[in-house]
Amino acid sequence: MAVWVHKNMPGLVRFVVLALFLLGTLVPFYWMFVTSLKTRQEIYGSVLTLWPQKLTWDNYVKTFQDSDFLQYFANSAIVSLVSGLLVVIVSILGGYALARYQFRGKGLFLLVFLATQMIPVMVLLVPLYIVFGELDLLDKLPALIITYTAINIPFCLITMSGFFQRIPVALEEAAMVDGCSRIRTVVQIILPIMLPGIVASFVFAFTAAWNDLFFGVMFTVSEDVKTVPVGLNGFIQKFDVNWGEMSAAGMLSLIPVIILFAFVQRYIVSGLTQGAVKG
């Protein structure tokens, strides 16, 4: 037995580490789900229960009755989808240019794009707030769309550039010899090959916009423009926290992300890993 354990120690250690990581990841979601099914008395009771003593769906019903959750949901969907699509379009165009063309300052350009990922988002707040105030975009969804698009473009563009570099230039040259224009070659031949990278970039931009609370709180005030994270933050009152309804709304807010990952998860790992090449 001791010999077997010694021989398989690396595998056992890896299994234990992954199991602990999985447990640490799932426990918060489990606790949120359980809390959403408990009564207020049980949530604030002195006895900790790992499963509701009495299942109730009242928290889900009250989430829709006592808040504009559907409006928050729709706003988040609009902001995340539009910003995600804009990020993908710009990343495809910019990534292709970086991968296929040589120009002066290319290295500096990439360095600046990488450096933007190290800037704390708090530093961007005041300049953006002033600009959006001058443009009369505060408390409007376009302010969030512009912000999320600008913030997510650098990472996705660099990832897309790396993905373009993995595709042989000879493939494009052969298509153009056969009479295809450069645009037609990219659209009909290159982009289908790059589907994993495109999907990975969209998922990254979508989830980043869907989960953001900071800019949502700063740029929105009215109920009809708040996003889901801002709406969830509204369950925290001055002297009370409505844990039941907040947990129910949190579980509902996971649905789009879960559905998205269920359909595209096979592309995500491939897209992120294949895009990570040297520039």
Side-chain angles (χ1 to χ4, degrees):
M1 180 66 180
V3 175
W4 183 89
V5 171
H6 178 75
K7 182 179 179 181
N8 294 275
M9 183 61 69
L12 290 174
V13 172
R14 184 166 57 250
F15 174 80
V16 171
V17 171
L18 291 176
L20 292 175
F21 178 78
L22 179 63
L23 182 65
T25 302
L26 294 180
V27 165
F29 294 101
Y30 170 78
W31 193 250
M32 182 169 63
F33 175 67
V34 169
T35 303
S36 71
L37 298 176
K38 291 181 178 180
T39 62
R40 185 177 179 85
Q41 292 73 20
E42 186 175 356
I43 292 174
Y44 289 95
S46 58
V47 179
L48 180 66
T49 55
L50 299 179
W51 186 255
Q53 297 176 349
K54 180 182 178 182
L55 288 174
T56 177
W57 297 97
D58 289 346
N59 292 318
Y60 289 90
V61 175
K62 291 179 181 179
T63 296
F64 292 102
Q65 291 179 345
D66 300 343
S67 68
D68 297 324
F69 183 77
L70 288 178
Q71 184 64 55
Y72 306 153
F73 196 94
N75 292 337
S76 283
I78 293 172
V79 169
S80 301
L81 286 172
V82 174
S83 63
L85 290 174
L86 289 175
V87 167
V88 168
I89 293 172
V90 175
S91 298
I92 290 175
L93 298 174
Y96 183 84
L98 289 175
R100 292 293 187 257
Y101 297 101
Q102 298 297 326
F103 53 89
R104 182 175 299 179
K106 178 179 177 180
L108 178 62
F109 181 82
L110 287 171
L111 181 61
V112 171
F113 258 49
L114 287 172
T116 61
Q117 302 301 289
M118 305 175 191
I119 300 176
V121 292
M122 290 75 74
V123 176
L124 304 175
L125 176 60
V126 174
L128 287 174
Y129 194 90
I130 294 175
V131 171
F132 291 147
E134 293 293 330
L135 297 176
D136 193 26
L137 291 178
L138 290 177
D139 202 26
K140 296 179 181 178
L141 294 183
L144 295 179
I145 293 174
I146 294 171
T147 301
Y148 297 147
T149 301
I151 290 176
N152 293 321
I153 279 177
F155 174 81
C156 294
L157 189 148
I158 294 173
T159 301
M160 201 72 71
S161 174
F163 211 96
F164 272 117
Q165 292 179 31
R166 294 182 62 91
I167 301 176
V169 179
L171 190 63
E172 295 180 51
E173 294 175 345
M176 286 188 282
V177 168
D178 290 337
C180 290
S181 64
R182 183 175 295 274
I183 295 178
R184 184 180 176 186
T185 300
V186 172
V187 172
Q188 295 186 355
I189 297 177
I190 305 302
L191 293 187
I193 300 175
M194 290 184 53
L195 185 59
I198 295 173
V199 171
S201 297
F202 176 79
V203 170
F204 174 84
F206 180 92
T207 53
W210 183 271
N211 295 328
D212 178 75
L213 172 64
F214 181 75
F215 290 110
V217 170
M218 295 297 107
F219 294 156
T220 61
V221 178
S222 306
E223 292 295 316
D224 58 345
V225 295
K226 288 183 178 179
T227 56
V228 168
V230 182
L232 291 176
N233 189 59
F235 289 104
I236 302 176
Q237 305 298 324
K238 186 175 182 180
F239 300 106
D240 184 33
V241 179
N242 196 333
W243 293 111
E245 293 182 29
M246 179 186 285
S247 298
M251 292 303 302
L252 293 172
S253 68
L254 292 176
I255 294 176
V257 179
I258 293 175
I259 293 175
L260 181 64
F261 272 85
F263 281 100
V264 303
Q265 56 89 19
R266 65 192 181 99
Y267 295 110
I268 295 175
V269 175
S270 174
L272 290 177
T273 55
Q274 293 186 38
V277 300
K278 294 174 62 177

Short mmCIF file of all heavy atoms in Angstrom, two decimals, residues 150-213:
data_model
loop_
_atom_site.label_atom_id
_atom_site.label_comp_id
_atom_site.label_asym_id
_atom_site.label_seq_id
_atom_site.Cartn_x
_atom_site.Cartn_y
_atom_site.Cartn_z
N ALA A 150 -14.45 49.74 -24.64
CA ALA A 150 -13.08 50.27 -24.59
C ALA A 150 -12.19 49.46 -23.65
O ALA A 150 -11.02 49.22 -23.94
CB ALA A 150 -13.11 51.73 -24.15
N ILE A 151 -12.73 49.02 -22.53
CA ILE A 151 -11.93 48.30 -21.54
C ILE A 151 -11.57 46.89 -22.01
O ILE A 151 -10.47 46.39 -21.75
CB ILE A 151 -12.69 48.23 -20.19
CG1 ILE A 151 -12.74 49.63 -19.56
CG2 ILE A 151 -12.04 47.24 -19.23
CD1 ILE A 151 -13.54 49.69 -18.29
N ASN A 152 -12.47 46.24 -22.74
CA ASN A 152 -12.26 44.84 -23.12
C ASN A 152 -11.54 44.66 -24.45
O ASN A 152 -11.09 43.56 -24.76
CB ASN A 152 -13.61 44.11 -23.17
CG ASN A 152 -14.24 43.99 -21.80
OD1 ASN A 152 -13.55 43.75 -20.81
ND2 ASN A 152 -15.55 44.15 -21.73
N ILE A 153 -11.46 45.71 -25.24
CA ILE A 153 -10.82 45.59 -26.56
C ILE A 153 -9.34 45.17 -26.47
O ILE A 153 -8.92 44.28 -27.23
CB ILE A 153 -10.98 46.89 -27.36
CG1 ILE A 153 -12.36 46.95 -28.01
CG2 ILE A 153 -9.91 47.01 -28.44
CD1 ILE A 153 -12.64 48.22 -28.78
N PRO A 154 -8.51 45.77 -25.62
CA PRO A 154 -7.08 45.42 -25.65
C PRO A 154 -6.79 43.94 -25.51
O PRO A 154 -6.04 43.37 -26.32
CB PRO A 154 -6.52 46.23 -24.46
CG PRO A 154 -7.42 47.40 -24.35
CD PRO A 154 -8.78 46.87 -24.68
N PHE A 155 -7.37 43.29 -24.49
CA PHE A 155 -7.11 41.87 -24.30
C PHE A 155 -7.59 41.04 -25.48
O PHE A 155 -6.89 40.15 -25.98
CB PHE A 155 -7.78 41.38 -23.01
CG PHE A 155 -7.69 39.90 -22.80
CD1 PHE A 155 -6.53 39.34 -22.27
CD2 PHE A 155 -8.74 39.07 -23.14
CE1 PHE A 155 -6.43 37.97 -22.09
CE2 PHE A 155 -8.66 37.70 -22.95
CZ PHE A 155 -7.50 37.14 -22.43
N CYS A 156 -8.82 41.32 -25.93
CA CYS A 156 -9.39 40.53 -27.03
C CYS A 156 -8.65 40.78 -28.33
O CYS A 156 -8.48 39.86 -29.14
CB CYS A 156 -10.88 40.87 -27.19
SG CYS A 156 -11.90 40.36 -25.79
N LEU A 157 -8.20 42.00 -28.57
CA LEU A 157 -7.46 42.30 -29.80
C LEU A 157 -6.14 41.56 -29.84
O LEU A 157 -5.76 40.99 -30.87
CB LEU A 157 -7.25 43.81 -29.91
CG LEU A 157 -6.68 44.32 -31.25
CD1 LEU A 157 -7.22 45.71 -31.55
CD2 LEU A 157 -5.16 44.38 -31.20
N ILE A 158 -5.42 41.55 -28.72
CA ILE A 158 -4.15 40.83 -28.68
C ILE A 158 -4.37 39.33 -28.84
O ILE A 158 -3.61 38.64 -29.54
CB ILE A 158 -3.42 41.14 -27.36
CG1 ILE A 158 -3.01 42.62 -27.32
CG2 ILE A 158 -2.20 40.25 -27.19
CD1 ILE A 158 -2.45 43.07 -26.00
N THR A 159 -5.42 38.81 -28.21
CA THR A 159 -5.75 37.39 -28.36
C THR A 159 -6.08 37.06 -29.81
O THR A 159 -5.62 36.06 -30.36
CB THR A 159 -6.94 37.02 -27.45
OG1 THR A 159 -6.60 37.29 -26.09
CG2 THR A 159 -7.29 35.55 -27.59
N MET A 160 -6.87 37.91 -30.45
CA MET A 160 -7.25 37.69 -31.84
C MET A 160 -6.04 37.78 -32.77
O MET A 160 -5.93 37.02 -33.74
CB MET A 160 -8.31 38.70 -32.26
CG MET A 160 -9.13 38.29 -33.46
SD MET A 160 -10.28 36.95 -33.09
CE MET A 160 -11.48 37.82 -32.09
N SER A 161 -5.12 38.70 -32.47
CA SER A 161 -3.91 38.83 -33.28
C SER A 161 -3.10 37.54 -33.21
O SER A 161 -2.58 37.07 -34.24
CB SER A 161 -3.08 40.00 -32.77
OG SER A 161 -1.84 40.06 -33.43
N GLY A 162 -2.97 36.98 -32.03
CA GLY A 162 -2.26 35.72 -31.90
C GLY A 162 -2.92 34.59 -32.66
O GLY A 162 -2.24 33.72 -33.23
N PHE A 163 -4.23 34.62 -32.71
CA PHE A 163 -4.95 33.58 -33.44
C PHE A 163 -4.73 33.71 -34.94
O PHE A 163 -4.57 32.71 -35.65
CB PHE A 163 -6.44 33.65 -33.11
CG PHE A 163 -7.13 32.33 -33.16
CD1 PHE A 163 -7.32 31.59 -32.01
CD2 PHE A 163 -7.58 31.81 -34.35
CE1 PHE A 163 -7.96 30.37 -32.05
CE2 PHE A 163 -8.23 30.60 -34.41
CZ PHE A 163 -8.41 29.87 -33.26
N PHE A 164 -4.72 34.95 -35.44
CA PHE A 164 -4.44 35.17 -36.86
C PHE A 164 -3.04 34.67 -37.23
O PHE A 164 -2.84 34.16 -38.34
CB PHE A 164 -4.56 36.66 -37.20
CG PHE A 164 -5.95 37.10 -37.57
CD1 PHE A 164 -6.63 38.03 -36.79
CD2 PHE A 164 -6.58 36.60 -38.69
CE1 PHE A 164 -7.90 38.44 -37.12
CE2 PHE A 164 -7.86 37.00 -39.04
CZ PHE A 164 -8.52 37.93 -38.24
N GLN A 165 -2.11 34.85 -36.32
CA GLN A 165 -0.74 34.45 -36.61
C GLN A 165 -0.60 32.93 -36.76
O GLN A 165 0.35 32.47 -37.40
CB GLN A 165 0.19 34.94 -35.49
CG GLN A 165 0.35 36.45 -35.45
CD GLN A 165 1.24 36.91 -34.32
OE1 GLN A 165 2.16 36.20 -33.92
NE2 GLN A 165 0.97 38.09 -33.79
N ARG A 166 -1.51 32.18 -36.21
CA ARG A 166 -1.45 30.72 -36.32
C ARG A 166 -1.93 30.23 -37.68
O ARG A 166 -1.72 29.07 -38.04
CB ARG A 166 -2.28 30.07 -35.21
CG ARG A 166 -1.74 30.31 -33.81
CD ARG A 166 -2.59 29.58 -32.79
NE ARG A 166 -2.55 28.14 -33.02
CZ ARG A 166 -1.67 27.32 -32.45
NH1 ARG A 166 -0.75 27.80 -31.63
NH2 ARG A 166 -1.70 26.02 -32.69
N ILE A 167 -2.62 31.10 -38.41
CA ILE A 167 -3.15 30.70 -39.72
C ILE A 167 -2.12 31.05 -40.79
O ILE A 167 -1.71 32.21 -40.90
CB ILE A 167 -4.48 31.42 -40.01
CG1 ILE A 167 -5.51 31.07 -38.93
CG2 ILE A 167 -5.01 31.04 -41.39
CD1 ILE A 167 -6.82 31.78 -39.08
N PRO A 168 -1.67 30.09 -41.58
CA PRO A 168 -0.64 30.36 -42.59
C PRO A 168 -1.06 31.42 -43.60
O PRO A 168 -2.20 31.42 -44.09
CB PRO A 168 -0.46 28.99 -43.28
CG PRO A 168 -0.98 27.99 -42.31
CD PRO A 168 -2.10 28.68 -41.57
N VAL A 169 -0.14 32.32 -43.90
CA VAL A 169 -0.41 33.35 -44.90
C VAL A 169 -0.64 32.72 -46.27
O VAL A 169 -1.39 33.25 -47.10
CB VAL A 169 0.77 34.34 -44.96
CG1 VAL A 169 0.52 35.41 -46.01
CG2 VAL A 169 0.99 34.98 -43.60
N ALA A 170 -0.03 31.55 -46.50
CA ALA A 170 -0.17 30.87 -47.79
C ALA A 170 -1.62 30.53 -48.09
O ALA A 170 -2.03 30.47 -49.26
CB ALA A 170 0.67 29.60 -47.80
N LEU A 171 -2.41 30.32 -47.04
CA LEU A 171 -3.83 30.02 -47.24
C LEU A 171 -4.55 31.20 -47.87
O LEU A 171 -5.37 31.03 -48.79
CB LEU A 171 -4.46 29.65 -45.90
CG LEU A 171 -5.88 29.07 -45.93
CD1 LEU A 171 -5.90 27.75 -46.68
CD2 LEU A 171 -6.41 28.87 -44.51
N GLU A 172 -4.24 32.39 -47.43
CA GLU A 172 -4.85 33.59 -48.01
C GLU A 172 -4.32 33.82 -49.42
O GLU A 172 -5.09 34.20 -50.32
CB GLU A 172 -4.54 34.81 -47.13
CG GLU A 172 -5.15 34.75 -45.74
CD GLU A 172 -4.80 35.97 -44.93
OE1 GLU A 172 -5.00 37.10 -45.42
OE2 GLU A 172 -4.32 35.81 -43.79
N GLU A 173 -3.03 33.64 -49.60
CA GLU A 173 -2.44 33.87 -50.92
C GLU A 173 -3.04 32.93 -51.96
O GLU A 173 -3.30 33.33 -53.10
CB GLU A 173 -0.93 33.68 -50.84
CG GLU A 173 -0.23 34.73 -49.98
CD GLU A 173 1.24 34.45 -49.82
OE1 GLU A 173 1.66 33.30 -50.12
OE2 GLU A 173 1.99 35.35 -49.39
N ALA A 174 -3.28 31.67 -51.56
CA ALA A 174 -3.88 30.71 -52.50
C ALA A 174 -5.29 31.14 -52.88
O ALA A 174 -5.70 31.02 -54.05
CB ALA A 174 -3.90 29.32 -51.87
N ALA A 175 -6.04 31.64 -51.90
CA ALA A 175 -7.41 32.09 -52.18
C ALA A 175 -7.41 33.30 -53.10
O ALA A 175 -8.23 33.40 -54.04
CB ALA A 175 -8.14 32.41 -50.89
N MET A 176 -6.48 34.24 -52.90
CA MET A 176 -6.43 35.43 -53.73
C MET A 176 -5.93 35.12 -55.14
O MET A 176 -6.33 35.76 -56.11
CB MET A 176 -5.54 36.49 -53.06
CG MET A 176 -6.22 37.14 -51.85
SD MET A 176 -5.32 38.55 -51.15
CE MET A 176 -4.05 37.67 -50.24
N VAL A 177 -5.07 34.11 -55.27
CA VAL A 177 -4.65 33.66 -56.60
C VAL A 177 -5.84 33.12 -57.37
O VAL A 177 -5.95 33.28 -58.59
CB VAL A 177 -3.53 32.59 -56.48
CG1 VAL A 177 -3.31 31.90 -57.82
CG2 VAL A 177 -2.25 33.23 -55.99
N ASP A 178 -6.77 32.49 -56.66
CA ASP A 178 -7.98 31.94 -57.29
C ASP A 178 -9.02 33.00 -57.59
O ASP A 178 -10.11 32.68 -58.08
CB ASP A 178 -8.59 30.87 -56.41
CG ASP A 178 -7.72 29.61 -56.36
OD1 ASP A 178 -6.94 29.41 -57.30
OD2 ASP A 178 -7.84 28.84 -55.38
N GLY A 179 -8.73 34.25 -57.26
CA GLY A 179 -9.63 35.34 -57.62
C GLY A 179 -10.38 35.98 -56.48
O GLY A 179 -11.17 36.90 -56.69
N CYS A 180 -10.16 35.53 -55.26
CA CYS A 180 -10.85 36.11 -54.10
C CYS A 180 -10.18 37.43 -53.70
O CYS A 180 -8.95 37.55 -53.74
CB CYS A 180 -10.83 35.16 -52.90
SG CYS A 180 -11.85 33.67 -53.11
N SER A 181 -10.99 38.39 -53.31
CA SER A 181 -10.43 39.62 -52.76
C SER A 181 -9.98 39.35 -51.33
O SER A 181 -10.31 38.32 -50.74
CB SER A 181 -11.49 40.73 -52.77
OG SER A 181 -12.57 40.37 -51.91
N ARG A 182 -9.23 40.29 -50.75
CA ARG A 182 -8.74 40.09 -49.40
C ARG A 182 -9.91 40.01 -48.41
O ARG A 182 -9.91 39.17 -47.49
CB ARG A 182 -7.79 41.22 -48.99
CG ARG A 182 -7.19 41.05 -47.60
CD ARG A 182 -6.16 42.11 -47.31
NE ARG A 182 -5.01 42.01 -48.20
CZ ARG A 182 -3.97 41.23 -47.94
NH1 ARG A 182 -3.95 40.44 -46.88
NH2 ARG A 182 -2.94 41.21 -48.78
N ILE A 183 -10.90 40.87 -48.58
CA ILE A 183 -12.04 40.87 -47.66
C ILE A 183 -12.81 39.55 -47.77
O ILE A 183 -13.17 38.94 -46.76
CB ILE A 183 -12.98 42.05 -47.96
CG1 ILE A 183 -12.26 43.37 -47.67
CG2 ILE A 183 -14.26 41.95 -47.14
CD1 ILE A 183 -13.08 44.60 -47.98
N ARG A 184 -13.05 39.10 -49.00
CA ARG A 184 -13.76 37.84 -49.19
C ARG A 184 -12.95 36.67 -48.63
O ARG A 184 -13.52 35.74 -48.04
CB ARG A 184 -14.04 37.62 -50.68
CG ARG A 184 -14.86 36.37 -50.96
CD ARG A 184 -15.10 36.21 -52.45
NE ARG A 184 -15.80 34.97 -52.75
CZ ARG A 184 -16.04 34.52 -53.97
NH1 ARG A 184 -15.64 35.24 -55.02
NH2 ARG A 184 -16.67 33.38 -54.16
N THR A 185 -11.65 36.72 -48.76
CA THR A 185 -10.79 35.66 -48.24
C THR A 185 -10.90 35.59 -46.72
O THR A 185 -11.04 34.51 -46.13
CB THR A 185 -9.32 35.91 -48.63
OG1 THR A 185 -9.22 35.92 -50.05
CG2 THR A 185 -8.42 34.83 -48.06
N VAL A 186 -10.86 36.75 -46.09
CA VAL A 186 -10.94 36.78 -44.63
C VAL A 186 -12.30 36.30 -44.15
O VAL A 186 -12.41 35.49 -43.22
CB VAL A 186 -10.65 38.20 -44.10
CG1 VAL A 186 -10.91 38.28 -42.59
CG2 VAL A 186 -9.22 38.60 -44.40
N VAL A 187 -13.37 36.79 -44.77
CA VAL A 187 -14.72 36.48 -44.32
C VAL A 187 -15.08 35.02 -44.56
O VAL A 187 -15.65 34.35 -43.68
CB VAL A 187 -15.74 37.41 -45.02
CG1 VAL A 187 -17.17 36.97 -44.70
CG2 VAL A 187 -15.51 38.85 -44.58
N GLN A 188 -14.76 34.50 -45.75
CA GLN A 188 -15.22 33.16 -46.11
C GLN A 188 -14.24 32.04 -45.74
O GLN A 188 -14.66 30.89 -45.61
CB GLN A 188 -15.51 33.12 -47.61
CG GLN A 188 -16.65 34.02 -48.05
CD GLN A 188 -16.99 33.83 -49.52
OE1 GLN A 188 -16.33 33.10 -50.25
NE2 GLN A 188 -18.06 34.49 -49.96
N ILE A 189 -13.00 32.35 -45.56
CA ILE A 189 -12.01 31.30 -45.31
C ILE A 189 -11.37 31.41 -43.93
O ILE A 189 -11.32 30.44 -43.18
CB ILE A 189 -10.91 31.33 -46.39
CG1 ILE A 189 -11.53 31.04 -47.77
CG2 ILE A 189 -9.80 30.31 -46.07
CD1 ILE A 189 -10.55 31.11 -48.92
N ILE A 190 -10.90 32.61 -43.57
CA ILE A 190 -10.15 32.77 -42.33
C ILE A 190 -11.06 32.78 -41.10
O ILE A 190 -10.79 32.07 -40.12
CB ILE A 190 -9.30 34.06 -42.37
CG1 ILE A 190 -8.39 34.05 -43.60
CG2 ILE A 190 -8.48 34.19 -41.08
CD1 ILE A 190 -7.47 32.86 -43.66
N LEU A 191 -12.13 33.56 -41.14
CA LEU A 191 -12.99 33.68 -39.96
C LEU A 191 -13.63 32.34 -39.54
O LEU A 191 -13.72 32.08 -38.33
CB LEU A 191 -14.07 34.74 -40.19
CG LEU A 191 -13.57 36.18 -40.31
CD1 LEU A 191 -14.74 37.14 -40.36
CD2 LEU A 191 -12.65 36.53 -39.15
N PRO A 192 -14.08 31.49 -40.46
CA PRO A 192 -14.59 30.19 -40.02
C PRO A 192 -13.54 29.36 -39.28
O PRO A 192 -13.87 28.64 -38.32
CB PRO A 192 -15.02 29.51 -41.32
CG PRO A 192 -15.35 30.64 -42.23
CD PRO A 192 -14.34 31.71 -41.90
N ILE A 193 -12.29 29.47 -39.70
CA ILE A 193 -11.22 28.75 -39.00
C ILE A 193 -11.01 29.33 -37.61
O ILE A 193 -10.65 28.62 -36.67
CB ILE A 193 -9.92 28.82 -39.82
CG1 ILE A 193 -10.12 28.18 -41.20
CG2 ILE A 193 -8.77 28.12 -39.09
CD1 ILE A 193 -8.92 28.32 -42.11
N MET A 194 -11.24 30.63 -37.48
CA MET A 194 -11.00 31.33 -36.23
C MET A 194 -12.19 31.32 -35.28
O MET A 194 -12.19 32.04 -34.28
CB MET A 194 -10.63 32.79 -36.51
CG MET A 194 -9.28 32.97 -37.14
SD MET A 194 -8.92 34.72 -37.31
CE MET A 194 -9.17 35.30 -35.64
N LEU A 195 -13.19 30.52 -35.54
CA LEU A 195 -14.40 30.53 -34.72
C LEU A 195 -14.13 30.36 -33.23
O LEU A 195 -14.72 31.08 -32.42
CB LEU A 195 -15.37 29.45 -35.21
CG LEU A 195 -16.73 29.41 -34.52
CD1 LEU A 195 -17.46 30.73 -34.68
CD2 LEU A 195 -17.58 28.26 -35.06
N PRO A 196 -13.25 29.44 -32.82
CA PRO A 196 -12.96 29.34 -31.37
C PRO A 196 -12.44 30.64 -30.77
O PRO A 196 -12.83 31.02 -29.67
CB PRO A 196 -11.92 28.22 -31.29
CG PRO A 196 -12.16 27.40 -32.50
CD PRO A 196 -12.56 28.37 -33.57
N GLY A 197 -11.55 31.32 -31.49
CA GLY A 197 -11.02 32.58 -30.98
C GLY A 197 -12.08 33.66 -30.91
O GLY A 197 -12.12 34.45 -29.96
N ILE A 198 -12.96 33.71 -31.90
CA ILE A 198 -14.03 34.69 -31.91
C ILE A 198 -14.99 34.44 -30.75
O ILE A 198 -15.39 35.38 -30.04
CB ILE A 198 -14.78 34.64 -33.26
CG1 ILE A 198 -13.84 35.07 -34.39
CG2 ILE A 198 -16.01 35.53 -33.23
CD1 ILE A 198 -14.44 34.90 -35.78
N VAL A 199 -15.35 33.19 -30.55
CA VAL A 199 -16.26 32.84 -29.46
C VAL A 199 -15.64 33.16 -28.11
O VAL A 199 -16.29 33.72 -27.22
CB VAL A 199 -16.65 31.35 -29.54
CG1 VAL A 199 -17.41 30.93 -28.29
CG2 VAL A 199 -17.48 31.08 -30.78
N ALA A 200 -14.36 32.82 -27.94
CA ALA A 200 -13.68 33.09 -26.68
C ALA A 200 -13.63 34.58 -26.38
O ALA A 200 -13.86 35.01 -25.24
CB ALA A 200 -12.26 32.51 -26.72
N SER A 201 -13.37 35.39 -27.38
CA SER A 201 -13.33 36.84 -27.19
C SER A 201 -14.70 37.38 -26.83
O SER A 201 -14.83 38.24 -25.94
CB SER A 201 -12.81 37.53 -28.46
OG SER A 201 -11.49 37.13 -28.75
N PHE A 202 -15.73 36.89 -27.49
CA PHE A 202 -17.09 37.35 -27.19
C PHE A 202 -17.50 36.97 -25.77
O PHE A 202 -18.08 37.79 -25.05
CB PHE A 202 -18.09 36.78 -28.20
CG PHE A 202 -19.52 37.12 -27.89
CD1 PHE A 202 -20.02 38.38 -28.21
CD2 PHE A 202 -20.36 36.22 -27.25
CE1 PHE A 202 -21.33 38.72 -27.91
CE2 PHE A 202 -21.66 36.54 -26.95
CZ PHE A 202 -22.15 37.80 -27.28
N VAL A 203 -17.22 35.75 -25.38
CA VAL A 203 -17.58 35.29 -24.03
C VAL A 203 -16.86 36.12 -22.98
O VAL A 203 -17.44 36.52 -21.96
CB VAL A 203 -17.26 33.79 -23.86
CG1 VAL A 203 -17.41 33.38 -22.40
CG2 VAL A 203 -18.19 32.96 -24.73
N PHE A 204 -15.57 36.40 -23.22
CA PHE A 204 -14.81 37.22 -22.28
C PHE A 204 -15.44 38.60 -22.14
O PHE A 204 -15.67 39.10 -21.02
CB PHE A 204 -13.36 37.35 -22.75
CG PHE A 204 -12.54 38.29 -21.92
CD1 PHE A 204 -11.95 37.87 -20.74
CD2 PHE A 204 -12.36 39.61 -22.32
CE1 PHE A 204 -11.19 38.75 -19.97
CE2 PHE A 204 -11.61 40.50 -21.56
CZ PHE A 204 -11.03 40.06 -20.39
N ALA A 205 -15.75 39.25 -23.26
CA ALA A 205 -16.32 40.60 -23.23
C ALA A 205 -17.73 40.58 -22.63
O ALA A 205 -18.10 41.48 -21.87
CB ALA A 205 -16.35 41.19 -24.64
N PHE A 206 -18.52 39.57 -22.97
CA PHE A 206 -19.89 39.47 -22.46
C PHE A 206 -19.91 39.32 -20.95
O PHE A 206 -20.63 40.04 -20.25
CB PHE A 206 -20.61 38.30 -23.12
CG PHE A 206 -22.03 38.12 -22.68
CD1 PHE A 206 -23.07 38.72 -23.37
CD2 PHE A 206 -22.35 37.35 -21.56
CE1 PHE A 206 -24.38 38.57 -22.97
CE2 PHE A 206 -23.66 37.18 -21.14
CZ PHE A 206 -24.68 37.80 -21.85
N THR A 207 -19.15 38.38 -20.43
CA THR A 207 -19.16 38.13 -18.98
C THR A 207 -18.57 39.31 -18.20
O THR A 207 -19.03 39.62 -17.10
CB THR A 207 -18.38 36.85 -18.65
OG1 THR A 207 -17.06 36.92 -19.21
CG2 THR A 207 -19.09 35.63 -19.19
N ALA A 208 -17.55 39.96 -18.77
CA ALA A 208 -16.97 41.13 -18.10
C ALA A 208 -18.01 42.24 -17.97
O ALA A 208 -18.10 42.90 -16.91
CB ALA A 208 -15.76 41.63 -18.86
N ALA A 209 -18.79 42.46 -19.01
CA ALA A 209 -19.83 43.49 -18.96
C ALA A 209 -21.00 43.06 -18.07
O ALA A 209 -21.55 43.87 -17.32
CB ALA A 209 -20.34 43.79 -20.38
N TRP A 210 -21.37 41.79 -18.14
CA TRP A 210 -22.51 41.29 -17.36
C TRP A 210 -22.24 41.37 -15.86
O TRP A 210 -23.15 41.64 -15.08
CB TRP A 210 -22.82 39.85 -17.77
CG TRP A 210 -24.01 39.27 -17.09
CD1 TRP A 210 -24.04 38.59 -15.90
CD2 TRP A 210 -25.37 39.31 -17.54
NE1 TRP A 210 -25.32 38.21 -15.60
CE2 TRP A 210 -26.15 38.64 -16.59
CE3 TRP A 210 -25.98 39.86 -18.67
CZ2 TRP A 210 -27.53 38.49 -16.73
CZ3 TRP A 210 -27.35 39.71 -18.81
CH2 TRP A 210 -28.11 39.03 -17.85
N ASN A 211 -21.00 41.13 -15.46
CA ASN A 211 -20.67 41.05 -14.03
C ASN A 211 -20.24 42.38 -13.42
O ASN A 211 -20.07 42.45 -12.19
CB ASN A 211 -19.55 40.03 -13.80
CG ASN A 211 -19.98 38.62 -14.14
OD1 ASN A 211 -21.14 38.25 -13.99
ND2 ASN A 211 -19.04 37.82 -14.62
N ASP A 212 -20.03 43.41 -14.22
CA ASP A 212 -19.47 44.65 -13.69
C ASP A 212 -20.46 45.38 -12.80
O ASP A 212 -21.63 45.57 -13.15
CB ASP A 212 -19.05 45.58 -14.83
CG ASP A 212 -18.50 46.89 -14.30
OD1 ASP A 212 -17.37 46.90 -13.80
OD2 ASP A 212 -19.24 47.90 -14.38
N LEU A 213 -19.98 45.79 -11.65
CA LEU A 213 -20.77 46.59 -10.71
C LEU A 213 -20.26 48.02 -10.62
O LEU A 213 -21.05 48.96 -10.51
CB LEU A 213 -20.74 45.95 -9.32
CG LEU A 213 -21.35 46.77 -8.17
CD1 LEU A 213 -22.86 46.97 -8.39
CD2 LEU A 213 -21.08 46.10 -6.83
#
